[in-house]
Amino acid sequence: MAITPGKRMLRALKGERLDKPPFWLMRQAGRYLPEYREIRSQAGGFLDLCFSPKLACEVTLQPIRRYGMDAAILFSDILIVPYGLGQGVAFKEGEGPVLDPVRNASDLSRLSLDGFHERVAPVYETVTRIAEALPKETTLIGFAGSPWTVATYMAEGGGSKEFVAVKRWAYGDPEGFGQLIDLLVEATVSYLSRQVEAGAEVLQLFDSWAGALPEPGFRRWCIEPTIRIVAALKARHPDIPIIGFPRGAGTLYVPYATETGIDAVSLDTTVSVAWAAEALQSKLPVQGNLDPILLVAGGDALDREVERILSGFSGGAHIFNLGHGVTQTTPPETVERLARRLRA
């Protein structure tokens, strides 16, 4: 493919094979950085940090200053959407997110798009601030959770290992559960569209719990809503690249990548590089997929795995990333080691 000018991240998303893949890391702004912990201590609660444009902009920029990633991702959370719809959302130290559960039509009636943009307006201001502050070569990524994953948190009232509440609703009352998915599709399109208008240059959809579903449910609750979101966003913003991340999808990565209309697919740690290069990278750019714990371990183990991934995806468009987010116990020095290797 002919070389095109512009940001390396955007070039890779157009399908260009680069001599050095662009890189960024999921959760690259976070608790492993001492400068983040200092800001976090000033902010109050986690949602207070997400809704402070000044502070959220600052923590978004911190890893860019340290490591020079090719992309910055908005510092926010996927549960901003249910918060914007009127669901009670809180983050408790040591527990993570806690939500007032939504498990039936009566619960769903409490949610509404009315006032959504007003409730989440600080996020749009954060995007604008980041876009103005980033180095000219750095791409800004906006994001949202995919409907199935967000619905999981909404129905379970937080994280889950067995997904009993959300699956009971989805299997037992698919029409009623579909109303929640429809609401989330509409909210997600509107939310991401505003992020683009505020300055986001790429969008990523995080379907973190996609792997919890068997194939029929995966097609109905992951693929179909993603098709609708991507189509609606492309109708409003034809040139915006969209990355999909159906974590845990296994072989269902193929229909997800080829049927949803996404521009690139992000791979979790379990995906075989050789398989993905043949089955996925031959069709669209891929992103991933270093095990985040290798950033904790560091040393030769990290170096070997980086080389294996770079070699395995060297034949096509590739964005280097993790298979999930940076963990809290990651030494900042190992991220610097990774960054130096990827820039070399």
Side-chain angles (χ1 to χ4, degrees):
M1 177 171 289
I3 294 177
T4 56
K7 300 181 179 184
R8 292 170 53 78
M9 178 79 176
L10 299 180
R11 289 165 61 187
L13 286 168
K14 290 179 180 178
E16 187 176 335
R17 177 183 172 274
L18 300 171
D19 57 340
K20 295 180 292 186
F23 80 102
W24 66 281
L25 306 177
M26 288 183 274
R27 280 208 298 262
Q28 64 190 22
R31 294 176 291 176
Y32 74 105
L33 291 175
E35 56 265 45
Y36 169 84
R37 294 194 295 270
E38 182 178 345
I39 295 291
R40 177 71 174 82
S41 68
Q42 301 171 16
F46 178 73
L47 281 176
D48 296 317
L49 177 54
C50 291
F51 287 134
S52 168
K54 179 181 178 181
L55 298 182
C57 175
E58 169 60 21
V59 296
T60 300
L61 296 172
Q62 286 173 347
I64 305 304
R65 296 192 194 109
R66 263 191 184 252
Y67 307 117
M69 283 93 169
D70 292 283
I73 186 166
L74 163 71
F75 182 86
S76 186
D77 194 86
I78 65 172
L79 299 183
I80 296 298
V81 165
Y83 176 91
L85 291 170
Q87 186 174 16
V89 179
F91 287 81
K92 298 186 177 180
E93 290 294 331
E95 289 186 50
V98 178
L99 297 85
D100 298 334
V102 173
R103 294 175 177 167
N104 51 48
S106 176
D107 295 339
L108 188 57
S109 68
R110 302 197 303 265
L111 307 180
S112 173
L113 280 165
D114 294 340
F116 178 89
H117 290 303
E118 288 74 16
R119 284 190 284 271
V120 305
V123 175
Y124 308 140
E125 183 182 340
T126 300
V127 174
T128 299
R129 284 176 176 246
I130 300 167
E132 293 171 349
L134 277 177
K136 65 181 187 307
E137 68 274 10
T138 309
T139 301
L140 175 54
I141 304 171
F143 76 93
S146 295
W148 164 255
T149 289
V150 175
T152 295
Y153 282 100
M154 294 174 76
E156 297 292 337
S160 179
K161 294 182 178 179
E162 297 182 335
F163 309 98
V164 173
V166 69
K167 286 187 175 183
R168 179 187 291 135
W169 190 7
Y171 295 162
D173 180 19
E175 183 176 340
F177 184 70
Q179 293 176 9
L180 172 59
I181 295 294
D182 289 346
L183 178 63
L184 288 171
V185 167
E186 186 175 359
T188 302
V189 169
S190 187
Y191 180 55
L192 289 175
S193 183
R194 287 288 186 97
Q195 290 186 36
V196 175
E197 292 166 6
E201 301 168 281
V202 174
L203 299 173
Q204 177 152 320
L205 290 165
F206 286 86
D207 217 344
S208 303
W209 300 127
L213 286 167
E215 183 174 1
F218 182 88
R219 288 187 170 275
R220 181 164 187 178
W221 305 123
C222 294
I223 289 181
E224 291 181 13
T226 304
I227 290 172
R228 293 161 58 195
I229 290 170
V230 171
L233 287 169
K234 294 286 189 178
R236 298 185 188 190
H237 311 283
D239 298 326
I240 193 74
I242 301 173
I243 306 168
F245 181 37
R247 181 175 172 235
T251 57
L252 295 175
Y253 262 100
V254 174
Y256 180 94
T258 58
E259 296 174 16
T260 57
I262 57 173
D263 298 279
V265 63
S266 196
L267 310 174
D268 67 66
T269 299
T270 68
V271 176
S272 160
V273 170
W275 176 82
E278 180 178 354
L280 298 170
Q281 194 185 27
S282 59
K283 301 175 177 66
L284 78 174
V286 295
Q287 177 176 276
N289 63 337
L290 183 73
D291 186 343
I293 304 305
L294 280 161
L295 279 181
V296 180
D300 292 342
L302 171 63
D303 296 342
R304 285 193 299 270
E305 186 64 3
V306 170
E307 293 303 323
R308 188 183 73 86
I309 292 170
L310 290 174
S311 175
F313 288 131
S314 62
H318 176 220
I319 299 159
F320 194 96
N321 207 315
L322 306 179
H324 199 216
V326 178
T327 68
Q328 181 179 358
T329 56
T330 300
E333 296 77 19
T334 61
V335 181
E336 177 58 38
R337 181 176 183 138
L338 173 66
R340 284 199 307 268
R341 171 61 191 89
L342 294 173
R343 289 193 297 262

